[in-house]
Amino acid sequence: MAPPISTNALLSLLLTFHSLSIFHPLTTAEPLYQKCETALNYTSNSTYASNLNTVLASLPSNASRNNGFYNTTVGTNQDTVYGLVLCRGDVTPAICQSCVDGAIKEIKQLCPNNKIAAIWYEYCQLRYSDKRFFSLMEDAGKITLVNTASITNPTEFLPVLNDLLSNLSNKAAKDSSLGMFATEETKFMGSQDVYGLVQCTRDLSMNDCSRCLEGAVGDVMGCCSSNRGARVLATSCNLRFELYPFYTASDSGPTPAPPNPTSKGMLLISY
């Protein structure tokens, strides 16, 4: 018969389970960031509201069936709604659909009656507007989340990080078979692993994807190349690097649970 588990061991197991339940990708997580255009509003019982609900309802299942990307249009004239969703390129269809479901619920609460809004999560991003934005590169209003902890040997780290992010950007933009998504791991000082990820919305041209990511790389190199991690969130692309694995490599298991992006030690920079 197995010995009874101690109180401390049981508490440790419960805390571990609680931590996993908070960060498990299928649970509702806090958004990384949201943008609400409060100057343009619609009324709750309007045709625009009905069209928006139709657009949002179509996004989760279609995104999960179309490799994590889907855009659609509903309505005519001033009541037209354009919607787009993008899931991170390494997540499963189930995680994608779950993330988009949560994004829809949250964006309605955070941006009530706003005609233009966008929201970002760890595993997906969603946006809608009364103006057509498909195939248009937009990075105005992008934000950067920065780990405020500094890296040792920042002078040596800068070229390593620049090469990693530039190579990833070139790979994602130039190879359409990758779905405008790329990840890569490199070494710093011979032993420290550095992980990078870049992604564009797949309605962009290769040139526009490249321009968006080049701007994001420039932002990171300008503000955060001596930090232990950072991410750039734009409506047309996103970028991230960390000193720990945060994405699913093609030969690895489930996506690692990410640290809480809103925890103390993160700095938000807006442009």
PDB file of all heavy atoms in Angstrom, residues 15 22 34 42 54 62-63 70 78-79 98 111-112 162 208 241:
ATOM      1  N   LEU A  15      -1.342  23.527  -5.939  1.00  0.00           N
ATOM      2  CA  LEU A  15      -0.834  24.778  -6.506  1.00  0.00           C
ATOM      3  C   LEU A  15      -0.389  24.577  -7.941  1.00  0.00           C
ATOM      4  O   LEU A  15      -0.599  25.437  -8.804  1.00  0.00           O
ATOM      5  CB  LEU A  15       0.332  25.306  -5.654  1.00  0.00           C
ATOM      6  CG  LEU A  15      -0.053  25.871  -4.283  1.00  0.00           C
ATOM      7  CD1 LEU A  15       1.207  26.202  -3.492  1.00  0.00           C
ATOM      8  CD2 LEU A  15      -0.931  27.100  -4.426  1.00  0.00           C
ATOM      9  N   ILE A  22      -4.693  27.981 -14.842  1.00  0.00           N
ATOM     10  CA  ILE A  22      -4.690  29.402 -15.210  1.00  0.00           C
ATOM     11  C   ILE A  22      -4.109  29.591 -16.597  1.00  0.00           C
ATOM     12  O   ILE A  22      -4.636  30.332 -17.416  1.00  0.00           O
ATOM     13  CB  ILE A  22      -3.873  30.221 -14.183  1.00  0.00           C
ATOM     14  CG1 ILE A  22      -4.607  30.261 -12.846  1.00  0.00           C
ATOM     15  CG2 ILE A  22      -3.635  31.632 -14.694  1.00  0.00           C
ATOM     16  CD1 ILE A  22      -3.808  30.922 -11.752  1.00  0.00           C
ATOM     17  N   GLN A  34      -5.746  45.476 -26.059  1.00  0.00           N
ATOM     18  CA  GLN A  34      -6.891  45.720 -26.916  1.00  0.00           C
ATOM     19  C   GLN A  34      -6.917  47.187 -27.329  1.00  0.00           C
ATOM     20  O   GLN A  34      -6.427  48.056 -26.609  1.00  0.00           O
ATOM     21  CB  GLN A  34      -8.209  45.337 -26.234  1.00  0.00           C
ATOM     22  CG  GLN A  34      -8.653  46.222 -25.097  1.00  0.00           C
ATOM     23  CD  GLN A  34      -7.995  45.874 -23.775  1.00  0.00           C
ATOM     24  OE1 GLN A  34      -7.504  44.765 -23.602  1.00  0.00           O
ATOM     25  NE2 GLN A  34      -7.992  46.825 -22.856  1.00  0.00           N
ATOM     26  N   TYR A  42     -21.904  52.305 -32.721  1.00  0.00           N
ATOM     27  CA  TYR A  42     -23.157  51.834 -33.299  1.00  0.00           C
ATOM     28  C   TYR A  42     -24.156  51.604 -32.172  1.00  0.00           C
ATOM     29  O   TYR A  42     -23.766  51.437 -31.009  1.00  0.00           O
ATOM     30  CB  TYR A  42     -22.945  50.540 -34.100  1.00  0.00           C
ATOM     31  CG  TYR A  42     -22.454  49.366 -33.274  1.00  0.00           C
ATOM     32  CD1 TYR A  42     -23.355  48.510 -32.637  1.00  0.00           C
ATOM     33  CD2 TYR A  42     -21.087  49.101 -33.134  1.00  0.00           C
ATOM     34  CE1 TYR A  42     -22.912  47.442 -31.874  1.00  0.00           C
ATOM     35  CE2 TYR A  42     -20.634  48.039 -32.375  1.00  0.00           C
ATOM     36  CZ  TYR A  42     -21.556  47.210 -31.746  1.00  0.00           C
ATOM     37  OH  TYR A  42     -21.117  46.159 -30.995  1.00  0.00           O
ATOM     38  N   THR A  54     -22.958  38.617 -36.843  1.00  0.00           N
ATOM     39  CA  THR A  54     -22.816  37.579 -37.871  1.00  0.00           C
ATOM     40  C   THR A  54     -21.352  37.338 -38.196  1.00  0.00           C
ATOM     41  O   THR A  54     -20.901  36.188 -38.323  1.00  0.00           O
ATOM     42  CB  THR A  54     -23.582  37.979 -39.142  1.00  0.00           C
ATOM     43  OG1 THR A  54     -24.961  38.158 -38.828  1.00  0.00           O
ATOM     44  CG2 THR A  54     -23.445  36.909 -40.220  1.00  0.00           C
ATOM     45  N   ASN A  62     -14.418  28.860 -38.668  1.00  0.00           N
ATOM     46  CA  ASN A  62     -13.720  29.050 -39.946  1.00  0.00           C
ATOM     47  C   ASN A  62     -12.224  29.197 -39.757  1.00  0.00           C
ATOM     48  O   ASN A  62     -11.440  28.706 -40.575  1.00  0.00           O
ATOM     49  CB  ASN A  62     -14.291  30.262 -40.676  1.00  0.00           C
ATOM     50  CG  ASN A  62     -15.588  29.960 -41.388  1.00  0.00           C
ATOM     51  OD1 ASN A  62     -15.626  29.177 -42.333  1.00  0.00           O
ATOM     52  ND2 ASN A  62     -16.678  30.564 -40.937  1.00  0.00           N
ATOM     53  N   ALA A  63     -11.806  29.879 -38.696  1.00  0.00           N
ATOM     54  CA  ALA A  63     -10.367  29.994 -38.427  1.00  0.00           C
ATOM     55  C   ALA A  63      -9.764  28.629 -38.152  1.00  0.00           C
ATOM     56  O   ALA A  63      -8.675  28.298 -38.639  1.00  0.00           O
ATOM     57  CB  ALA A  63     -10.121  30.937 -37.253  1.00  0.00           C
ATOM     58  N   TYR A  70      -8.726  33.672 -41.062  1.00  0.00           N
ATOM     59  CA  TYR A  70      -9.995  33.827 -41.772  1.00  0.00           C
ATOM     60  C   TYR A  70     -10.396  35.298 -41.753  1.00  0.00           C
ATOM     61  O   TYR A  70     -10.230  35.988 -40.743  1.00  0.00           O
ATOM     62  CB  TYR A  70     -11.087  32.994 -41.089  1.00  0.00           C
ATOM     63  CG  TYR A  70     -12.420  33.029 -41.793  1.00  0.00           C
ATOM     64  CD1 TYR A  70     -12.594  32.429 -43.043  1.00  0.00           C
ATOM     65  CD2 TYR A  70     -13.516  33.663 -41.205  1.00  0.00           C
ATOM     66  CE1 TYR A  70     -13.826  32.457 -43.691  1.00  0.00           C
ATOM     67  CE2 TYR A  70     -14.754  33.693 -41.852  1.00  0.00           C
ATOM     68  CZ  TYR A  70     -14.900  33.090 -43.094  1.00  0.00           C
ATOM     69  OH  TYR A  70     -16.115  33.122 -43.734  1.00  0.00           O
ATOM     70  N   GLN A  78     -22.986  51.794 -45.292  1.00  0.00           N
ATOM     71  CA  GLN A  78     -22.489  52.192 -43.979  1.00  0.00           C
ATOM     72  C   GLN A  78     -22.640  51.098 -42.920  1.00  0.00           C
ATOM     73  O   GLN A  78     -22.117  51.234 -41.809  1.00  0.00           O
ATOM     74  CB  GLN A  78     -23.194  53.479 -43.493  1.00  0.00           C
ATOM     75  CG  GLN A  78     -24.639  53.293 -43.073  1.00  0.00           C
ATOM     76  CD  GLN A  78     -25.610  53.444 -44.224  1.00  0.00           C
ATOM     77  OE1 GLN A  78     -25.205  53.399 -45.393  1.00  0.00           O
ATOM     78  NE2 GLN A  78     -26.873  53.656 -43.894  1.00  0.00           N
ATOM     79  N   ASP A  79     -23.357  50.025 -43.261  1.00  0.00           N
ATOM     80  CA  ASP A  79     -23.550  48.932 -42.317  1.00  0.00           C
ATOM     81  C   ASP A  79     -22.612  47.753 -42.573  1.00  0.00           C
ATOM     82  O   ASP A  79     -22.768  46.688 -41.964  1.00  0.00           O
ATOM     83  CB  ASP A  79     -24.994  48.432 -42.366  1.00  0.00           C
ATOM     84  CG  ASP A  79     -25.979  49.489 -41.883  1.00  0.00           C
ATOM     85  OD1 ASP A  79     -25.683  50.122 -40.852  1.00  0.00           O
ATOM     86  OD2 ASP A  79     -27.020  49.691 -42.544  1.00  0.00           O
ATOM     87  N   SER A  98     -10.854  27.879 -29.453  1.00  0.00           N
ATOM     88  CA  SER A  98     -11.104  28.285 -28.077  1.00  0.00           C
ATOM     89  C   SER A  98     -10.643  29.711 -27.830  1.00  0.00           C
ATOM     90  O   SER A  98     -11.330  30.497 -27.175  1.00  0.00           O
ATOM     91  CB  SER A  98     -10.398  27.330 -27.110  1.00  0.00           C
ATOM     92  OG  SER A  98     -10.572  27.741 -25.783  1.00  0.00           O
ATOM     93  N   CYS A 111     -14.907  46.691 -25.642  1.00  0.00           N
ATOM     94  CA  CYS A 111     -15.150  47.718 -26.657  1.00  0.00           C
ATOM     95  C   CYS A 111     -16.639  47.767 -27.013  1.00  0.00           C
ATOM     96  O   CYS A 111     -17.025  47.578 -28.173  1.00  0.00           O
ATOM     97  CB  CYS A 111     -14.332  47.436 -27.908  1.00  0.00           C
ATOM     98  SG  CYS A 111     -12.556  47.225 -27.629  1.00  0.00           S
ATOM     99  N   PRO A 112     -17.495  48.026 -26.047  1.00  0.00           N
ATOM    100  CA  PRO A 112     -18.933  47.969 -26.300  1.00  0.00           C
ATOM    101  C   PRO A 112     -19.388  49.032 -27.301  1.00  0.00           C
ATOM    102  O   PRO A 112     -19.059  50.208 -27.154  1.00  0.00           O
ATOM    103  CB  PRO A 112     -19.547  48.213 -24.912  1.00  0.00           C
ATOM    104  CG  PRO A 112     -18.509  48.989 -24.163  1.00  0.00           C
ATOM    105  CD  PRO A 112     -17.198  48.447 -24.658  1.00  0.00           C
ATOM    106  N   ASN A 162      19.483  40.516 -33.433  1.00  0.00           N
ATOM    107  CA  ASN A 162      19.169  41.126 -34.724  1.00  0.00           C
ATOM    108  C   ASN A 162      19.192  40.087 -35.845  1.00  0.00           C
ATOM    109  O   ASN A 162      18.297  40.060 -36.700  1.00  0.00           O
ATOM    110  CB  ASN A 162      20.155  42.242 -35.035  1.00  0.00           C
ATOM    111  CG  ASN A 162      19.785  43.013 -36.296  1.00  0.00           C
ATOM    112  OD1 ASN A 162      18.747  43.640 -36.375  1.00  0.00           O
ATOM    113  ND2 ASN A 162      20.654  42.938 -37.302  1.00  0.00           N
ATOM    114  N   ASP A 208       4.588  43.507 -48.121  1.00  0.00           N
ATOM    115  CA  ASP A 208       3.979  44.185 -46.979  1.00  0.00           C
ATOM    116  C   ASP A 208       4.275  43.446 -45.676  1.00  0.00           C
ATOM    117  O   ASP A 208       4.476  44.083 -44.633  1.00  0.00           O
ATOM    118  CB  ASP A 208       2.472  44.321 -47.184  1.00  0.00           C
ATOM    119  CG  ASP A 208       2.117  45.444 -48.139  1.00  0.00           C
ATOM    120  OD1 ASP A 208       2.987  46.298 -48.394  1.00  0.00           O
ATOM    121  OD2 ASP A 208       0.976  45.471 -48.630  1.00  0.00           O
ATOM    122  N   PHE A 241      10.496  37.554 -28.837  1.00  0.00           N
ATOM    123  CA  PHE A 241      11.673  36.759 -28.486  1.00  0.00           C
ATOM    124  C   PHE A 241      11.705  36.562 -26.979  1.00  0.00           C
ATOM    125  O   PHE A 241      11.218  37.383 -26.212  1.00  0.00           O
ATOM    126  CB  PHE A 241      12.971  37.414 -28.981  1.00  0.00           C
ATOM    127  CG  PHE A 241      13.497  38.526 -28.101  1.00  0.00           C
ATOM    128  CD1 PHE A 241      14.383  38.260 -27.063  1.00  0.00           C
ATOM    129  CD2 PHE A 241      13.113  39.844 -28.315  1.00  0.00           C
ATOM    130  CE1 PHE A 241      14.868  39.280 -26.245  1.00  0.00           C
ATOM    131  CE2 PHE A 241      13.592  40.874 -27.505  1.00  0.00           C
ATOM    132  CZ  PHE A 241      14.470  40.590 -26.465  1.00  0.00           C
TER     133      PHE A 241
END
